[in-house]
Amino acid sequence: MADLLRGLLRHPSGRIGGAIVALYIIVAVLAHLGVTPYDPIQQFRIDRLKPPSGAHWMGTDMFGRDVLSRLMVGIGQSFLVAFASVGISAVIGTALGLTAAWFGHLWDGVVMRLMDILLAFPAVLLALLIIAVIGPGTGTSVMAIAFVYTPIFTRVVRGPALSIKSRDFVDAARTFGSSRVYILTRHLMLNLVAPLTVQVTLALAWSLLTEAGLSFLGLGTQPPASSLGLMLSESGNLMEMAPWLLVFPGIAIMLGILGFNLLGDALRDILDPKTRSALA
Amino acid sequence: MNYLTRRLVTFPLIMLGVSVLVFVAIRMVPGDAITAMLGTEAGLLTPDQRKALAGYFGIDRSWTAQYWHWLLGALQGDLGLSVTNGKPVLDVILSRFPLTIELALLAVVIALCIGLPLGVFAATRNQKPSDLAVRIFAMLGQSTPSFVIGLLILYILSSVFGILPTMGSAVSLFEDPIGNLKQLILPALTLGFSFTASVTRISRSAMLDVLNDDYVRTARSKGVPALQVIWRHALPNALIPVVTLSGVEFGYLLGGAVLVEKIYALPGLGRLALDAILQRDYALVQGCVLFVALNFMIVNLLVDLAYAALDPRIRLGGR
Amino acid sequence: MTPLLSVRDLRVGFGKGDAVKEIVHGVSFDLHPGETLAIVGESGSGKSVTALSINRLIDYGGGRILSGAIALRTRKGEALDLTQTSPQRMEKIRGAEIGMIFQEPMTSLNPVKTIGWQLEEAFRLHRGLSGAAAHKAAIEALERVRIPDAERRLGYYPHQLSGGMLQRVMIAIALATNPRLLIADEPTTALDVSVQAQIMALLAELKRETGTGMIFITHDIGLVAGIADRVLVMQAGDVVEQGPLDQILDAPQHPYTQHLLKAVPHFAGGEAVRHDFRRVDALKQRPALTVDDLTVRFPVTSGLLRRKTGAVHAVESVSFDLMPGETLAIVGESGSGKSTTARALLDLVQPVRGSFEVRGLEGKSQHRPVQMVFQNPYASLNPRLNVESLLAEPVRAGGGRLTSAMRDRMTYLLARVGLPTDSLTRYPHEFSGGQRQRLCIARALMVDPSVLVLDEAVSALDVSVQAKVLELLVDLQKELHLAYLFVSHDMAVVERIAHRIAVVYAGQIVEMGDAAAVLSNPQHSYTRRLIAAVPTIERRRERFELDTRSVPSLVKPIGYEPREASWISYGPDHKARAEELSA
């Protein structure tokens, strides 16, 4: 763990990505604790559509709400959805992929064909179908994104699990008579931590993007709650008059995704020795 | 068994699974199917009318019977009627489809034409400033959502140049090809931006991997000139992961089209699906999802064919 | 006579700026036209780096020539210093003046291009041939390396040919334009012994035909005897000795050369084998392991419905017994079923027939009396577990707990196999290949086994490391009265550790008996061929015979049962399978 941190600090994209992600996590936690400059849904009627100033660092929107406060809450909301959905899909996907690789035969066939079916849908479309069924909302977003990412985690785990399963150290463990549980946890899982960490980080980036997209379409977080995608969609008609409504949430989304992408890349370089040689 | 035959055999099976999933998903909409089909207007129906309607749509039968009925209809192109405009679902879909597929194909062409040369170039300049520049571009491109790009483009166009692209109705490719291209080029750039970035990244890393392979060393030991080593020996091998990625990304493009069509107010399939969801037009949602999934699967099958064409180990099987 | 190639004080390093690490510390030699120079050394000796520096391929591997000169006399008679030549000029020299073949034929050819395309390219680049002319030249080139049915093979892709065939194609490409210098970098290391012998024979013959000068890189000093005129021995980037072949082999001056020569097999007379065990005395005891009629088959399926169409007869009624304190070597080439036999004894594959019985050491409660050490020390230790967890695993699996007594045993065994006792908290990647193999041995010994199965246990190691691990194994055997089942393809190693030898071919034992008897007086035709293919320093510049016989297919139809073997005895402990005359 300490090695990993040191590696990240030495890696240029690891440093930048790590710093961005850390900053965002702090902001998200503050937002969930209610520590924002203003109440994000409080409307200052006289201060409508004010450009950035000392009082409102990022200006105000058409209802006179403080953009910075709404942005912070939006980041908190996006992170909640991202972590929840990736957490769910990582756990389910890992369990499915691991058991598919270990038991093989019929179970492997059933699981992987099911995943093939889910993968036959373009990701956003699958999410839309789920939202169509359950109706929009935060919980639906979490479920929809989790649904989309589960087959990907299943594949990401199954491939390496199959190759680790055929490695000599697993054969050695069998010759000792080690129990299934021991082999699955100590030999397979422990070696899957690295690819999973990378995948989780990249999935978080994608999930932030999807959440923003769904909210932008009006199918994710519902007003008056705040979310980055929602703020962008509300800015659409006002962008000539109030470009700050477009610029700040736009940059916030981009930077957040960039942070996780950079971190994921750095983790891949550090944890996966195969590609390590190709980089500095 | 050959990889391709296996893909061809599983194709209809997976399509069947997709249809079951879509069917079951729509049946899981809370409330009864009449309400689901007619929306709030269902409240005006008398119990007798309800019963008659249920018999008419066949929803008083068991789920399996309903599924068979629906599947047989779907196989003959009958996906039901759209509640919002009363037209057959398939007709509505087919009228919107050309725009979306053109948009997606344009995005693919843009991504491959820019991303591939850029990635190969960066790989040959490994660790030099130009490589770093390409990598930063690709990283930013991959991290910027299409709707942020789209909004930015619109903002710059309207506030700096004071112009707006044609929105609303579609300009036909066959009647006015230039107008059509003018209308679609910006949406296609928006949609293809992050795809371009991923093609750049993948082709760069694939190329770097391949340049370390033994056969590239062999080619050099034969005295093959540096440029030919890259284009004739390395590239055909590096293309294999790029092609695989393109299949997966095509799915993102079809999904991303929803957002881009909304921003540019284009009447494509994505907008159709979105509106259908918002208006609870379930037959239309079902039809759209099924139709797009089918297209995505066909594209992936084509990608597999391209994959086999590129890699004789897949085409010919083992020794 | 002016030399074809003259290398002076060549220094090669890796890395940039201040971080340059010098790998080759000043190599000098001359090579005359038509002469063969062998460069011998272990991994990390800098032999391959030296070779790659000559045609400047090192530029693409992150390396740099720091100083020195490489003078090449070209076909036209001009003298070129290759360290100063422009990259564009080097492209004209590679292939035309200097050809090269590499260690891994399976990965050295472009997988998406046909053999013909890759051959014709050489003619196109250096002789300006194209179309039908290039095609014709390619056919002739394949025929020159004795590939039958050359025209059809031109349309093949690399994955459709065997390793031996691919190496011939590589040679054909390298020699396509009759270069004046051929660099062969471990061209046979990835191949089986009998295929190696064929490639060596081919190289020797082509050298005679074309008069090409050759630099032959190898780790196997035995291989040198058959082909080299001069020998250069490298260790850790330095040349420790160089001279004419006979001088190096018969009167080596440097201790390192002497050490390398010690590892070369002798066979004849059988005096090089171990004489520390008398089977006759041991026969009064019960065997440590008795294997009877062991048969392993893997089903072969085909078609959409995965119908069973036959079976791979991987191991066919193998029987033997193994006494405590004895080493039985199972020898064979890849695909012979030797590893499958070992794996069946550890329950890693299920036999379809046969039985084996293991007798534990009296007075010790044993959970698993048979333990195994695998070939690849990098793959047989879980990289995420520390040494303590690794050593504890076999004990834990048997229900044991991590007590202080067990820790004491760990430290004792670590010291016994020659590892630092503070290793317990370290991870596998902190150890070298040889150390890891010692770790695997210690792990296997944690549960007091009576039989140790060593599956190619030293094959991945360098000769000098190999010698030390073999020494350790011999010591441990005497001390703990262990029985070893030593599976190997390497005759040189077998000669040094085996008391008895079983030769397996196509899944069956074809000859078995006392090591000295089998090695010095082989009876079965396969054993003879196998031994004849092993390079030894006695056979100097001898012509290897081109042998194109192929191994019979192991895939048999359903219900196939091989004929029962009949054995012919050639001594008190030496028997061979009777051969059919028609074969």
Side-chain angles (χ1 to χ4, degrees):
Chain A
M1 204 51 208
D3 280 354
L4 185 62
L5 270 179
R6 226 172 295 132
L8 277 179
L9 286 178
R10 235 179 290 138
H11 194 285
S13 10
R15 268 199 305 263
I16 304 171
I20 297 176
V21 168
L23 176 74
Y24 271 63
I25 289 178
I26 292 170
V27 168
V29 169
L30 285 179
H32 281 292
L33 294 175
V35 187
T36 52
Y38 296 90
D39 180 348
I41 53 172
Q42 190 189 353
Q43 306 187 353
F44 299 90
R45 291 295 168 96
I46 30 165
D47 283 337
R48 289 203 301 193
L49 290 178
K50 281 275 151 61
S53 64
H56 299 282
W57 290 2
M58 294 186 181
T60 60
D61 67 2
M62 57 186 183
F63 299 110
R65 296 176 297 197
D66 180 51
V67 172
L68 176 59
S69 305
R70 287 187 69 72
L71 195 80
M72 288 179 69
V73 175
I75 288 174
Q77 172 72 13
S78 299
F79 269 54
L80 186 72
V81 173
F83 278 93
S85 56
V86 171
I88 293 170
S89 52
V91 169
I92 298 177
T94 305
L96 288 176
L98 204 57
T99 50
W102 183 256
F103 294 108
H105 303 297
L106 190 63
W107 175 242
D108 186 29
V110 169
V111 168
M112 293 324 285
R113 289 306 79 72
L114 268 178
M115 296 304 130
D116 282 347
I117 290 172
L118 287 180
L119 285 170
F121 292 94
V124 173
L125 208 76
L126 184 59
L128 288 187
L129 179 66
I130 293 163
I131 293 165
V133 173
I134 315 178
T138 306
T140 315
S141 297
V142 170
M143 201 178 139
I145 296 173
F147 235 92
V148 169
Y149 239 97
T150 301
I152 296 175
F153 272 110
T154 309
R155 281 202 173 175
V156 163
V157 168
R158 179 178 172 267
L162 272 181
S163 90
I164 295 168
K165 189 185 159 189
S166 65
R167 296 275 293 277
D168 282 349
F169 63 78
V170 174
D171 276 343
R174 288 195 179 132
T175 68
F176 305 141
S178 287
S179 69
R180 258 185 196 178
V181 176
Y182 187 90
I183 294 178
L184 270 175
T185 53
R186 301 302 292 266
H187 291 306
L188 263 68
M189 266 315 288
L190 218 52
N191 281 286
L192 285 169
V193 169
L196 261 177
T197 315
V198 175
Q199 195 60 35
V200 161
T201 318
L202 296 175
L204 282 169
W206 188 86
S207 148
L208 276 182
L209 192 140
T210 310
E211 194 279 332
L214 291 176
S215 297
F216 180 79
L217 292 174
L219 298 172
T221 309
Q222 298 297 304
S226 175
S227 129
L228 297 176
L230 203 56
M231 290 174 78
L232 273 179
S233 125
E234 287 165 354
S235 81
N237 302 320
L238 298 163
M239 61 190 177
E240 276 176 79
M241 222 188 305
W244 59 90
L245 290 183
L246 166 69
V247 170
F248 291 119
I251 289 177
I253 294 178
M254 212 196 78
L255 216 55
I257 298 169
L258 183 70
F260 281 112
N261 273 334
L262 286 173
L263 193 63
D265 265 22
L267 285 171
R268 199 205 311 261
D269 289 350
I270 295 164
L271 296 172
D272 181 0
K274 185 182 158 284
T275 52
R276 191 191 273 173
S277 58
L279 288 128
Chain B
M1 194 179 4
N2 190 310
Y3 170 76
L4 267 184
T5 7
R6 197 166 55 223
R7 292 284 297 162
L8 282 169
V9 169
T10 49
F11 183 83
L13 292 177
I14 291 183
M15 203 57 221
L16 201 68
V18 166
S19 73
V20 171
L21 191 69
V22 172
F23 178 85
V24 170
I26 295 298
R27 288 300 173 281
M28 277 163 64
V29 170
D32 67 306
I34 303 282
T35 318
M37 264 185 271
L38 298 184
T40 46
E41 287 166 41
L44 307 171
L45 297 173
T46 65
D48 279 351
Q49 280 174 316
R50 266 179 182 273
K51 213 166 177 188
L53 267 180
Y56 175 74
F57 287 116
I59 47 182
D60 50 353
R61 286 179 281 170
S62 72
W63 275 30
T64 43
Q66 284 184 49
Y67 173 72
W68 270 120
H69 180 75
W70 176 76
L71 185 70
L72 289 177
L75 285 176
Q76 293 159 24
D78 175 13
L79 291 167
L81 291 179
S82 159
V83 196
T84 37
N85 55 19
K87 288 189 205 150
V89 165
L90 191 66
D91 293 357
V92 183
I93 289 175
L94 288 178
S95 72
R96 301 287 198 98
F97 180 59
L99 187 131
T100 302
I101 199 77
E102 197 193 333
L103 190 61
L105 287 178
L106 262 179
V108 170
V109 170
I110 290 171
L112 291 179
C113 287
I114 300 175
L116 201 58
L118 213 53
V120 171
F121 167 79
T124 58
R125 295 276 182 286
N126 191 18
Q127 304 303 332
K128 299 209 174 93
S130 46
D131 174 41
L132 192 68
V134 171
R135 280 162 66 193
I136 290 175
F137 158 77
M139 191 33 114
L140 285 176
Q142 225 181 11
S143 304
T144 317
S146 61
F147 51 93
V148 172
I149 301 264
L151 287 175
L152 275 176
I153 290 179
L154 282 183
Y155 172 66
I156 292 167
L157 278 186
S158 63
S159 67
V160 181
F161 299 101
I163 46 169
L164 271 180
T166 326
M167 293 199 176
S169 59
V171 181
S172 162
L173 173 67
F174 302 103
E175 284 160 24
D176 180 6
I178 299 188
N180 169 275
L181 203 64
K182 265 189 185 162
Q183 183 186 28
L184 287 186
I185 192 71
L186 284 179
L189 271 173
T190 309
L191 186 58
F193 191 66
S194 72
F195 187 19
T196 309
S198 16
V199 170
T200 309
R201 279 168 59 88
I202 296 284
S203 35
R204 176 182 174 272
S205 70
M207 202 65 192
L208 277 180
D209 279 354
V210 167
L211 285 176
N212 280 324
D213 277 345
D214 287 352
Y215 53 81
V216 168
R217 191 179 57 183
T218 306
R220 288 186 177 127
S221 79
K222 280 156 83 177
V224 179
L227 268 181
Q228 285 189 33
V229 168
I230 289 166
W231 294 106
R232 299 178 69 128
H233 286 264
L235 189 64
N237 285 283
L239 271 181
I240 294 169
V242 177
V243 163
T244 316
L245 170 91
S246 301
V248 178
E249 283 280 337
F250 198 78
Y252 290 107
L253 290 184
L254 288 174
V258 180
L259 290 148
V260 172
E261 285 169 15
K262 181 181 150 95
I263 293 170
Y264 290 92
L266 292 172
L269 199 56
R271 272 270 302 294
L272 183 71
L274 183 63
D275 293 341
I277 290 171
L278 294 173
Q279 291 160 354
R280 304 186 176 275
D281 188 343
Y282 291 108
L284 195 52
V285 173
Q286 201 168 38
C288 285
V289 172
L290 205 60
F291 190 79
V292 176
L294 179 66
N295 276 293
F296 182 39
M297 286 186 65
I298 290 172
V299 166
N300 271 318
L301 204 62
L302 292 177
V303 165
D304 283 340
L305 287 175
Y307 191 58
L310 282 173
D311 192 342
R313 285 162 295 188
I314 301 288
R315 185 165 72 239
L316 303 168
R319 211 180 318 149
Chain C
M1 195 164 63
T2 47
L4 168 66
L5 183 78
S6 172
V7 175
R8 285 291 167 274
D9 196 32
L10 179 71
R11 289 172 187 275
V12 188
F14 282 80
K16 284 184 204 155
D18 296 337
V20 172
K21 193 164 177 266
E22 196 176 281
I23 300 292
V24 173
H25 317 295
V27 170
S28 303
F29 63 83
D30 285 334
L31 181 74
H32 292 279
E35 195 184 43
T36 297
L37 171 77
I39 302 183
V40 184
E42 294 177 286
S43 53
S45 63
K47 58 186 193 304
S48 287
V49 173
T50 306
L52 290 169
S53 302
I54 291 168
N55 61 4
R56 293 262 304 277
L57 281 179
I58 201 77
D59 298 5
Y60 300 94
R64 210 151 50 87
I65 296 173
L66 303 175
S67 68
I70 304 170
L72 176 77
R73 190 154 293 273
T74 65
R75 210 182 295 270
K76 289 181 196 136
E78 47 177 333
L80 267 181
D81 184 359
L82 296 182
T83 60
Q84 306 300 327
T85 312
S86 73
Q88 288 73 29
R89 185 75 203 272
M90 275 317 296
E91 283 168 2
K92 298 265 185 304
I93 288 169
R94 283 188 215 116
E97 303 275 348
I98 308 175
M100 183 155 187
I101 48 181
F102 300 93
Q103 177 172 357
E104 295 284 346
M106 299 301 239
T107 56
S108 291
L109 287 164
N110 196 327
V112 305
K113 303 282 186 188
T114 60
I115 303 296
W117 188 92
Q118 300 186 51
L119 252 171
E120 284 165 26
E121 185 181 43
F123 292 108
R124 182 173 57 76
L125 287 169
H126 298 294
R127 285 221 229 131
L129 298 184
S130 63
H135 188 71
K136 193 164 159 279
I139 296 177
E140 280 164 13
L142 278 196
E143 279 167 353
R144 188 156 79 159
V145 293
R146 295 12 170 214
I147 291 183
D149 204 4
E151 183 151 19
R152 200 163 53 89
R153 302 279 163 121
L154 285 182
Y156 278 35
Y157 288 92
H159 75 275
Q160 295 170 300
L161 294 171
S162 68
M165 276 292 178
L166 288 176
Q167 199 58 297
R168 288 177 195 216
V169 174
M170 276 298 295
I171 295 173
I173 291 175
L175 294 180
T177 51
N178 290 323
R180 310 227 304 148
L181 172 62
L182 178 68
I183 303 173
D185 186 5
E186 304 244 19
T188 59
T189 307
L191 306 171
D192 266 329
V193 212
S194 54
V195 183
Q196 163 172 294
Q198 292 168 34
I199 296 292
M200 292 304 290
L202 182 65
L203 278 177
E205 225 167 294
L206 290 173
K207 202 184 78 166
R208 267 194 299 279
E209 280 174 27
T210 59
T212 305
M214 178 154 75
I215 296 179
F216 187 88
I217 317 279
T218 184
H219 68 279
D220 184 352
I221 202 164
L223 211 51
V224 165
I227 196 150
D229 302 307
R230 296 174 56 80
V231 181
L232 186 153
V233 182
M234 286 187 77
Q235 185 189 20
D238 286 307
V239 178
V240 295
E241 187 163 4
Q242 78 170 298
L245 177 74
D246 295 330
Q247 184 192 315
I248 297 284
L249 295 188
D250 297 330
Q253 298 302 309
H254 196 277
Y256 183 67
T257 315
Q258 293 162 0
H259 172 73
L260 286 181
L261 279 166
K262 248 195 281 173
V264 172
H266 300 277
F267 303 148
E271 64 268 15
V273 300
R274 281 170 72 185
H275 292 287
D276 55 1
F277 179 81
R278 283 174 57 83
R279 191 173 163 83
V280 194
D281 302 340
L283 282 175
K284 290 166 209 143
Q285 311 168 37
R286 282 171 57 208
L289 174 70
T290 313
V291 176
D292 185 34
D293 196 25
L294 186 74
T295 303
V296 183
R297 290 169 193 170
F298 302 108
V300 175
T301 59
S302 72
L304 278 178
L305 300 170
R306 320 225 145 205
R307 220 159 26 89
K308 253 193 219 177
T309 53
V312 178
H313 289 227
V315 177
E316 199 58 66
S317 69
V318 161
S319 309
F320 58 83
D321 52 16
L322 182 61
M323 295 298 156
E326 184 185 49
T327 304
L328 171 67
I330 298 191
V331 184
E333 293 182 280
S334 55
S336 61
K338 57 186 192 306
S339 279
T340 310
T341 307
R343 295 170 69 83
L345 297 178
L346 272 302
D347 279 333
L348 290 174
V349 291
Q350 293 309 311
V352 296
R353 199 173 61 216
S355 63
F356 58 90
E357 195 186 321
V358 191
R359 190 203 57 152
L361 288 177
E362 270 78 15
K364 284 188 178 165
S365 67
Q366 279 179 306
H367 168 57
R368 295 258 162 171
V370 185
Q371 286 295 319
M372 180 155 165
V373 175
F374 292 80
Q375 169 171 11
N376 185 346
Y378 292 88
S380 54
L381 295 170
N382 184 342
R384 304 267 166 207
L385 294 180
N386 66 17
V387 171
E388 186 179 272
S389 308
L390 288 169
L391 290 182
E393 185 175 354
V395 185
R396 276 212 189 108
R401 321 199 90 217
L402 193 62
T403 57
S404 65
M406 191 167 122
R407 268 208 196 84
D408 290 345
R409 181 159 174 76
M410 286 180 187
T411 20
Y412 165 74
L413 278 175
L414 283 177
R416 185 63 198 85
V417 299
L419 287 174
T421 43
D422 63 349
S423 306
L424 281 179
T425 54
R426 296 208 258 157
Y427 285 84
H429 69 262
E430 297 172 57
F431 298 90
S432 69
Q435 285 179 318
R436 287 182 206 210
Q437 214 54 313
R438 289 166 191 267
L439 206 52
C440 290
I441 294 168
R443 178 170 67 170
L445 294 179
M446 280 300 288
V447 285
D448 282 318
S450 43
V451 179
L452 209 53
V453 176
L454 301 149
D455 185 5
E456 301 272 10
V458 296
S459 302
L461 308 175
D462 266 329
V463 179
S464 52
V465 182
Q466 215 170 46
K468 287 185 193 128
V469 173
L470 285 176
E471 239 167 70
L472 170 70
L473 284 172
V474 170
D475 288 351
L476 286 171
Q477 180 166 49
K478 286 183 190 151
E479 188 180 314
L480 304 169
H481 217 51
L482 288 165
Y484 286 162
L485 189 67
F486 192 91
V487 177
S488 183
H489 73 282
D490 187 344
M491 283 294 199
V493 171
V494 165
E495 186 184 38
R496 281 189 289 164
I497 189 136
H499 299 118
R500 298 182 77 222
I501 292 177
V503 181
V504 287
Y505 177 64
Q508 300 175 324
I509 293 182
V510 293
E511 184 159 357
M512 182 154 70
D514 178 64
V518 172
L519 288 177
S520 61
N521 186 21
Q523 292 300 326
H524 192 275
S525 65
Y526 176 71
T527 316
R528 284 194 199 145
R529 256 186 299 161
L530 193 63
I531 289 177
V534 177
T536 66
I537 55 169
E538 280 93 30
R539 283 196 286 264
R540 267 176 227 179
R541 295 188 200 92
E542 186 180 302
R543 287 186 153 202
F544 288 100
E545 262 173 65
L546 267 181
D547 175 13
T548 47
R549 265 175 290 188
S550 56
V551 184
S553 168
L554 296 177
V555 181
K556 309 283 188 201
I558 290 177
Y560 173 87
E561 283 297 331
R563 208 153 6 127
E564 202 161 310
S566 56
W567 293 91
I568 305 169
S569 180
Y570 293 96
D573 180 25
H574 186 187
K575 59 177 183 172
R577 186 180 283 258
E579 291 176 76
E580 287 160 53
L581 290 171
S582 61

